[in-house]
Amino acid sequence: MPQNSGATGVTAEEIRTRVRELAAAHDPATTDHVEFLGHRFDAGLAWVHFPVGCGGLGAPRALQQVAEQELAAAGAKPANVYRNPIGLGMGAPTVAVHGTEEQRSRLLRPLWTGEEVWCQLFSEPGAGSDLAGLATRAVRDGDDWIVNGQKVWTSFAHKARWAMLLARTDPDLPKHQGLTYFFLDMSLPGVEVRPLRQATGQAEFNEVFLTDVRIPDSMRADEVGKGWTVSNTTLMNERVAIGGGASPREGGVISPVAALWRSRPEVRTPALHDQVMKAWVEAEVARLANARIGQQLAAGKPGPEGSAAKISFARINQETTRLWLELSGEDGLTYDDWTMRRVDLGGSDGGRSAGYYYLRAKGNSIEGGTTEILRGVIADRVLELPREPRTDTKLPWKEIPR
Amino acid sequence: MTDIPSLLYTDVEDDLRATLRGLLADRCPWSDVLARVDTDEPYDESLWKSVAEDLGLAGLLIPESLGGAGATAREAAVTLEELARAVAPIPYYPSAILATTALTASPASEARDNALPALAAGTAIATLTIPATTAPGAEFPASITGSLDANGQLHLTGAATTVLAADRADLLVVPVLIDGEPHLALVDATAPGLTRTRATTLDATRPVGTITLDGVPATAIADPTQAPAALAHALVTGAALLASEQLGVAERSLEETVTYLKTRHQFGRPIGSYQALRHRAADLWADIAAARATARYAAAALAEGSDDAPIAASLAQAYCSDVAVHAAEECVQMHGGIGFTWEHPAHLYLKRAMSLSLLQGTPTHHRAALGGLVNLPSA
């Protein structure tokens, strides 16, 4: 993250002063939330570690915690993560690191306030785990790029004004070198969004079809052929820790299992008790592990434990929802509703039947990097184990079998 | 449930770790640990002297007013991590953790206040005279009884099996029933009527033995209003801090494994380039990261005197035990043939991890116990 642009040596005291000034000028209790967030951005208190003018102060990342605490104490609501999680978590750092001055000033403020929602156009039907093999083409035409292709598993595409788009600009180069990254205006002609129905019956995601979409070259992120580097900035950014503390004990999917166990003594057997306690232990351990990750981040020492947390989150959800169905007896055979409904990622899906959560958990080990890919990430980046031999990295992309 | 305390290591803890790791690297290589197994001297007395006296770590949990460091369970946890990484053959856990916390939880008395400074200085080693498998929440032991003679002197009779460092301890903290009522008593291990044996143990670096008492003179240090709570405190502390030993041995197992995966070649490639092994190593790393948070929470809960300590202790044992055993088992398997030989350290970690999982309650026991603690009753 760049920490250039002006202010250096920002202190916690200066952050506190700025928060006090902000709250004095714009009373959080009476100011509209979006409007307040805008003022907060202008005060450099959106992401304090971002450069001045980008919603930040060029301060150390650890001071974000100070800003959040002071703002909460002043009665200010945090940014609405659920409204724009992709933008806040991944879009913003990508724009800040790789965007031009023009892109930063156009994109960051409405991203932060949630007035403009973001999505991510990376995965394709033929490029899931092997993202760098993607086939969506962008061809230069004067001051524009003409884009054709199909993207999939796109959360928020139906709400988004902007997308992070990774496209192939040179099929004659090896796969990682022929990619270029764009900020795509989703309102452009040729962008078509269709809901993607999943095993649960509902549609949280979308397919996005791009047909002769004309993107101005001014919306290219970084240099032509640098798309892979830029996309790694996007993917390496954990969700920005904004507000909130650790989840409470029994806060996740263990909650209905524990409630069922407590309320229905007739289902209790010694063997199931050990399974329930295993699930409880896993849930509590994961809660503590996540808390520790949060503490590392707050201390300005982010570690690679996020990949591990995602692996265990998926496994725990899957095992615990399976146990929930087993404990449910006859109820386990029923399902509340197969009607296709659009539900936004991160939105509430409370009150569904156990079968729904069992099925939804299947996606947890696939979405956002499969468990297998994450194990590879840990093996490569943490343990620094030797890589598997590969045949696809040096060939021109167009010659790779697919 | 209050806020989660810091699960990170403080600078002081990092410094302590670095000092101790340096000492152990120099003085406790695994080859020395292994060589000692074939001798009749299971304890490294010289290493004990360095850890206890030179570094002052035996007195971490003893107040400064009694000659200790007045530190907390957090620092003791880091010490145990490092000692377990090195499979150090010294009776730190029975003396500086179990016996010490039973004593500090007992009321001040002449006997106690003479014993604790000697333990803090490392000039005396103590143990808690209970089977090493005793879990928190266990009934007060009934295998040793006491009675007063005509002069009012207390005498103990009975036996305790699988007592940690039974053959080495200078002082015994003995749970005892006097007229059917629970007490703690302090016994000089050289007193007449006391015999002790050393068993051949699964983990040769951590001997246990039987202590038999036949009218052995003793001093009562905790009465029925104090003894059950003092013993319970020692057992919760012990279980909570063993998780840090488990963390240490798991980390060491993974490190040895990863080193081997990078250097061992088969079929013309380093074996660490095979996905079947890469993924297993990654899973171990993920489990160890979670175990670290859990072990740190248990230590922090003790350090803060939190009401959640019994839950934190059982949680840590329920999780970290299995992680350590799994890591040590994977260490053996991923080393292939060499991992099954006497000449390779993998079996040292395996034996330490497996025997750790039996100390102060198995993971299955702790899961069942947790059910009672968090209102998830058994069938």
Side-chain angles (χ1 to χ4, degrees), chain A residues 228-264:
Chain A
W228 185 248
T229 307
V230 183
S231 69
N232 274 322
T233 299
T234 307
L235 294 172
M236 287 305 290
N237 267 282
E238 299 291 340
R239 300 263 156 91
V240 179
I242 295 176
S247 61
R249 182 171 281 171
E250 287 186 21
V253 74
I254 190 65
S255 170
V257 171
L260 193 157
W261 186 264
R262 290 183 182 120
S263 65
R264 293 180 54 189

Side-chain angles (χ1 to χ4, degrees), chain B residues 171-183:
Chain B
L171 288 170
L172 309 179
V173 180
V174 186
V176 53
L177 294 182
I178 303 174
D179 294 331
E181 295 291 329
H183 291 70

Side-chain angles (χ1 to χ4, degrees), chain B:
Chain B
M1 193 50 211
T2 50
D3 284 347
I4 295 173
S6 173
L7 307 177
L8 307 179
Y9 296 103
T10 64
D11 291 343
V12 170
E13 288 161 8
D14 284 339
D15 289 347
L16 167 62
R17 180 196 305 288
T19 304
L20 184 52
R21 189 175 291 193
L23 174 79
L24 292 167
D26 185 36
R27 302 274 305 284
C28 189
W30 67 263
S31 49
D32 285 6
V33 176
L34 181 63
R36 187 173 291 281
V37 174
D38 284 325
T39 73
D40 196 37
E41 294 176 2
Y43 306 102
D44 186 337
E45 298 290 346
S46 154
L47 181 64
W48 171 260
K49 201 165 162 5
S50 296
V51 169
E53 296 181 22
D54 301 346
L55 298 185
L57 298 179
L60 283 179
L61 297 181
I62 296 172
E64 286 176 285
S65 59
L66 291 166
T72 73
R74 296 179 60 102
E75 292 81 21
V78 171
T79 303
L80 288 170
E81 277 183 41
E82 292 303 313
L83 292 175
R85 278 178 61 92
V87 216
I90 56 173
Y92 186 87
Y93 173 73
S95 187
I97 307 295
L98 274 184
T100 291
T101 51
L103 287 171
T104 57
S106 296
S109 66
E110 188 184 344
R112 188 199 83 144
D113 296 351
N114 286 334
L116 281 170
L119 297 187
T123 51
I125 288 170
T127 192
L128 186 59
T129 310
I130 53 167
T133 53
T134 309
E139 279 196 36
F140 200 86
S143 68
I144 298 172
T145 57
S147 59
L148 300 180
D149 65 16
N151 298 323
Q153 170 65 49
L154 176 64
H155 294 270
L156 307 187
T157 296
T161 52
T162 63
V163 176
L164 290 163
D167 58 324
R168 175 61 186 83
D170 306 302
L171 288 170
L172 309 179
V173 180
V174 186
V176 53
L177 294 182
I178 303 174
D179 294 331
E181 295 291 329
H183 291 70
L184 293 184
L186 200 56
V187 170
D188 179 342
T190 61
L194 188 148
T195 53
R196 44 195 179 165
T197 60
R198 181 169 76 228
T200 303
T201 43
L202 177 66
D203 177 1
T205 67
R206 172 163 276 166
V208 300
T210 297
I211 287 178
T212 307
L213 303 150
D214 183 10
V216 177
T219 307
I221 57 165
D223 69 20
T225 68
Q226 302 150 344
L231 179 63
H233 175 69
L235 290 172
V236 167
T237 304
L241 291 182
L242 282 180
S244 290
E245 278 211 24
Q246 287 156 342
L247 172 62
V249 79
E251 284 190 318
R252 181 68 183 266
S253 297
L254 178 60
E255 284 172 22
E256 294 290 334
T257 303
V258 167
T259 300
Y260 190 69
L261 292 177
K262 289 177 181 174
T263 51
R264 171 76 170 175
H265 282 64
Q266 291 285 274
F267 306 102
R269 291 160 57 181
I271 61 172
S273 68
Y274 290 98
Q275 194 176 65
L277 300 183
R278 285 161 52 87
H279 282 191
R280 279 161 62 183
D283 278 342
L284 287 178
W285 184 84
D287 290 347
I288 289 169
R292 184 176 302 110
T294 310
R296 285 271 87 193
Y297 179 65
L302 288 175
E304 295 193 338
S306 161
D307 291 344
D308 209 41
I311 290 174
S314 280
L315 179 80
Q317 279 303 293
Y319 189 76
C320 301
S321 284
D322 287 341
V323 170
V325 170
H326 185 219
E329 288 178 348
E330 288 285 73
C331 181
V332 172
Q333 176 65 22
M334 288 199 250
H335 276 83
I338 190 75
F340 189 57
T341 64
W342 187 262
E343 299 307 321
H344 190 275
H347 65 97
L348 295 173
Y349 311 130
L350 179 69
K351 291 162 184 172
R352 173 60 68 102
M354 190 61 222
S355 96
L356 271 171
S357 80
L358 306 179
L359 294 187
Q360 262 68 75
T362 63
T364 310
H365 173 91
H366 281 285
R367 282 195 294 274
L370 266 179
L373 295 171
V374 303
N375 185 29
L376 288 167
S378 57

